[in-house]
Amino acid sequence: MNKPSIIKPDPKLDLVLERFIDVPRDLMWKAWTTPEHIVKWFTPKPWSTKECEIDLRPGGMFRTVMVSPEGKEFPNMGCYLEVVPNERLVFTDALLPGYRPSENPFFTGVVSFATEGSGTRYTAMAIHRDEAGKKQHEEMGFHDGWGKALDQLVAHVKTM
Amino acid sequence: MNKPSIIKPDPKLDLVLERFIDVPRDLMWKAWTTPEHIVKWFTPKPWSTKECEIDLRPGGMFRTVMVSPEGKEFPNMGCYLEVVPNERLVFTDALLPGYRPSENPFFTGVVSFATEGSGTRYTAMAIHRDEAGKKQHEEMGFHDGWGKALDQLVAHVKTM
């Protein structure tokens, strides 16, 4: 179990956002793993996150309901795969809680936190089934959207 | 991480095989997690398992190639989700190695081993996406097939 991470993003299929964040990684972890914090930053404005439910363990529920500027609700249901406190969080919508295969898999998310000086080297990856999945995510605005959400996370963490 | 298992089979969707096996659980574990043993018992005769590749860690590869009596090959690719030595093994074909969502998810498998006297209480579960998945697995002969494979496993373990 001490082998290096098995997650290897493929540039043809996957999307990666990496940034240095001037916030300690334990606060980044808390913002990523607590519903009351998630709803504050998870979706780039004017979108919002209306609900969040978390059972923080492998196979445990990660559920959100996002709301578009027009008020349309977009529920997301998935589960966690790896939970390494302050270090790495892996979740997917390919499996529902309890590891049940889902109807509409889109991606596996991997967020990593490494201490760098007084801050955190943050990496977020989206692992897709195929090139179409990557393209769809790009067109949904992965880089801009995940980047803006990260700005919101940082702003929120500084109020914690 | 010490909460009870999150895996709850649903009788409408899932299939379960439970049996007492007169073999210690560490040998059952070895038979389930070593390619050279898997190929000896994994598919009920006259089917066979031609190849097996295992990277025994969460996200690691679990690959087999089954061969029908007519010689047709059926490759299976998936990954492990939980690896608790001598106790519980969880794997799925909904995710490829490295947690990439797969094209054709069918089921998540959960095998559990509990010491009972000098033997093992063995439980195998197949967790499906929907009722159609359960039905397909039943029609493929889940109960008979997994039962026969288990007989082969026991016979093989006694030669180890």
Side-chain angles (χ1 to χ4, degrees), chain A residues 1 3-10 13-14 55-61 81-83 90 92-108 110 127-130, chain B residues 1 3-10 13-14 55-61 81-83 90 92-108 110 127-130:
Chain A
M1 306 287 269
K3 296 180 196 176
S5 173
I6 200 159
I7 299 157
K8 297 180 198 97
D10 178 335
L13 301 174
D14 305 323
D55 179 3
L56 195 61
R57 53 175 167 161
M61 181 184 295
L81 298 171
E82 292 190 17
V83 178
V90 183
T92 191
D93 61 12
L95 296 168
L96 303 179
Y99 303 122
R100 184 178 305 288
S102 71
E103 290 293 333
N104 293 304
F106 180 39
F107 77 106
T108 294
V110 182
I127 309 286
H128 305 96
R129 188 168 50 182
D130 49 27
Chain B
M1 305 285 269
K3 296 179 197 176
S5 173
I6 201 160
I7 299 157
K8 296 180 198 97
D10 177 335
L13 301 173
D14 305 322
D55 179 2
L56 195 60
R57 53 176 166 160
M61 182 185 294
L81 298 171
E82 292 190 17
V83 178
V90 183
T92 190
D93 61 10
L95 296 168
L96 303 179
Y99 302 123
R100 184 177 304 287
S102 71
E103 291 293 332
N104 292 305
F106 180 37
F107 78 105
T108 295
V110 182
I127 309 286
H128 304 96
R129 188 167 50 182
D130 48 29

Side-chain angles (χ1 to χ4, degrees), chain B residues 71-137:
Chain B
K72 188 163 183 232
E73 297 191 1
F74 293 83
N76 296 280
M77 175 69 94
C79 79
Y80 293 102
L81 298 171
E82 292 190 17
V83 178
V84 187
N86 301 333
E87 195 173 312
R88 187 172 63 248
L89 192 63
V90 183
F91 55 94
T92 190
D93 61 10
L95 296 168
L96 303 179
Y99 302 123
R100 184 177 304 287
S102 71
E103 291 293 332
N104 292 305
F106 180 37
F107 78 105
T108 295
V110 182
V111 287
S112 306
F113 312 91
T115 295
E116 196 172 299
S118 62
T120 302
R121 173 64 50 183
Y122 174 82
T123 313
M125 293 188 273
I127 309 286
H128 304 96
R129 188 167 50 182
D130 48 29
E131 291 186 39
K134 176 192 175 184
K135 199 173 163 218
Q136 185 190 343
H137 215 163

Side-chain angles (χ1 to χ4, degrees), chain A residues 2 18 20 37 51 87 96 106 108 111 116 120 145 155:
Chain A
N2 290 320
E18 193 191 322
F20 172 79
H37 295 310
E51 290 175 37
E87 196 173 313
L96 303 179
F106 180 39
T108 294
V111 288
E116 196 172 299
T120 303

Side-chain angles (χ1 to χ4, degrees), chain A residues 21-103:
Chain A
I21 301 295
D22 188 20
V23 159
R25 66 178 182 167
D26 59 322
L27 293 180
M28 300 282 290
W29 177 262
K30 209 167 166 183
W32 254 104
T33 56
T34 318
E36 66 187 86
H37 295 310
I38 287 268
V39 297
K40 296 282 175 59
W41 68 265
F42 198 59
T43 30
K45 285 174 188 164
W47 283 66
S48 61
T49 303
K50 190 187 172 187
E51 290 175 37
C52 176
E53 198 171 348
I54 284 176
D55 179 3
L56 195 61
R57 53 175 167 161
M61 181 184 295
F62 180 36
R63 183 179 76 83
T64 56
V65 179
M66 301 180 182
V67 186
S68 78
E70 298 75 30
K72 188 164 182 230
E73 298 192 358
F74 292 84
N76 294 280
M77 176 70 93
C79 79
Y80 293 102
L81 298 171
E82 292 190 17
V83 178
V84 187
N86 301 333
E87 196 173 313
R88 188 172 64 247
L89 193 63
V90 183
F91 54 94
T92 191
D93 61 12
L95 296 168
L96 303 179
Y99 303 122
R100 184 178 305 288
S102 71
E103 290 293 333

